[in-house]
Amino acid sequence: MCMSIRVIHDREIFPLISNEIQKAQVSIKAAIAWFMDPELEFLLSKKSDIVEGLILANDIGNDKLKFNGIKKKVYYLNHENNVLMHHKFCIIDNKKVITGSYNWTVKARRYNKENVLLIEDQNVVNQYEKIYSDLIYISIVKDSLNQLITNDFDAIENIEVLNQELKFNKEIDDKLREIKNYKKYRDWE
């Protein structure tokens, strides 16, 4: 198959993304810096059986949606060394990539000047699959982290192991120190 590239801009982007999500049959994987569009969230929830993962920047803005049906497939990538996960791409059925400036937000849909490319080329798709794999490796499901932190002190030690294995960022290290200091303080009383 020869390479196919379409340039889509402004108000044409949302219909393209929603149409590609609805047509997907095998898999949907995405890394989107900010995701605050409830309509795209709804479309993904209807395709929960083929959504493999959604990677978002660990930012308070990304806490607005509930991601019903796919919550355990939503991963967050923490800011590390002042580096922000700023990707905006979606891999559809391991055959297509949608990538560009467009965050999946209502503001981007309604107001921003944006552009994306719809690329159908297996070499390009494979490169994005590699980027996705690298990102998912260093991401975490927020509920998993919250559950570990609220469990007993042994769970915190498990977080430290995960931190070494998955290269968690400074934010989690700081939280662990706070919890340990609190425990030490409690033990002194």
Side-chain angles (χ1 to χ4, degrees), residues 151-162:
N151 282 343
D152 62 8
F153 195 71
D154 290 338
I156 294 168
E157 291 173 352
N158 290 339
I159 290 175
E160 290 174 340
V161 170
L162 287 173

Side-chain angles (χ1 to χ4, degrees), residues 4-177:
S4 168
I5 300 176
R6 281 184 49 207
V7 179
I8 302 94
H9 56 87
D10 302 330
R11 302 312 144 244
E12 298 171 5
I13 296 171
F14 177 82
L16 170 92
I17 293 172
S18 61
N19 187 42
E20 290 298 329
I21 289 172
Q22 290 174 64
K23 291 188 323 188
Q25 297 178 350
V26 177
S27 67
I28 300 170
K29 297 175 235 173
I32 308 294
W34 287 276
F35 190 138
M36 295 172 246
D37 190 323
E39 290 184 46
L40 289 174
E41 172 201 26
F42 176 74
L43 291 174
L44 286 175
S45 71
K46 287 174 56 177
K47 291 286 190 166
S48 63
D49 56 327
I50 64 168
V51 172
E52 289 187 25
L54 178 61
I55 305 167
L56 308 177
N58 191 6
D59 184 88
I60 194 162
N62 283 328
D63 289 339
K64 295 181 192 255
L65 299 177
K66 292 186 172 56
F67 295 107
N68 293 325
I70 60 170
K71 190 172 192 105
K72 293 186 186 288
K73 298 176 184 180
V74 178
Y75 299 85
Y76 294 85
L77 190 59
N78 291 303
H79 307 294
E80 189 167 320
N81 300 324
N82 292 321
V83 177
L84 173 64
M85 196 291 289
H86 205 250
H87 290 283
K88 298 160 193 89
F89 68 85
C90 181
I91 304 166
I92 304 287
D93 292 338
N94 304 315
K95 294 180 182 176
K96 301 176 187 179
V97 173
I98 302 168
T99 187
S101 66
Y102 189 84
N103 279 302
W104 292 14
T105 65
V106 174
K107 183 179 177 186
R109 176 166 31 111
R110 291 185 181 161
Y111 307 111
N112 293 359
K113 300 298 273 176
E114 304 277 359
N115 69 79
V116 298
L117 300 174
L118 173 61
I119 305 168
E120 295 182 63
D121 178 76
Q122 201 56 54
N123 290 329
V124 173
V125 171
N126 292 344
Q127 291 176 50
Y128 275 92
E129 290 277 1
K130 170 76 169 99
I131 294 167
Y132 177 85
S133 294
D134 291 347
L135 292 172
I136 204 89
Y137 179 75
I138 58 174
S139 301
I140 187 164
V141 175
K142 266 194 181 177
D143 282 354
S144 299
L145 177 61
N146 290 340
Q147 183 62 41
L148 288 172
I149 288 175
T150 55
N151 282 343
D152 62 8
F153 195 71
D154 290 338
I156 294 168
E157 291 173 352
N158 290 339
I159 290 175
E160 290 174 340
V161 170
L162 287 173
N163 189 24
Q164 292 172 0
E165 292 175 2
L166 302 177
K167 300 177 185 174
F168 284 134
N169 70 11
K170 183 180 180 311
E171 181 182 330
I172 293 173
D173 290 337
D174 291 344
K175 188 57 122 176
L176 288 172
R177 280 192 288 280

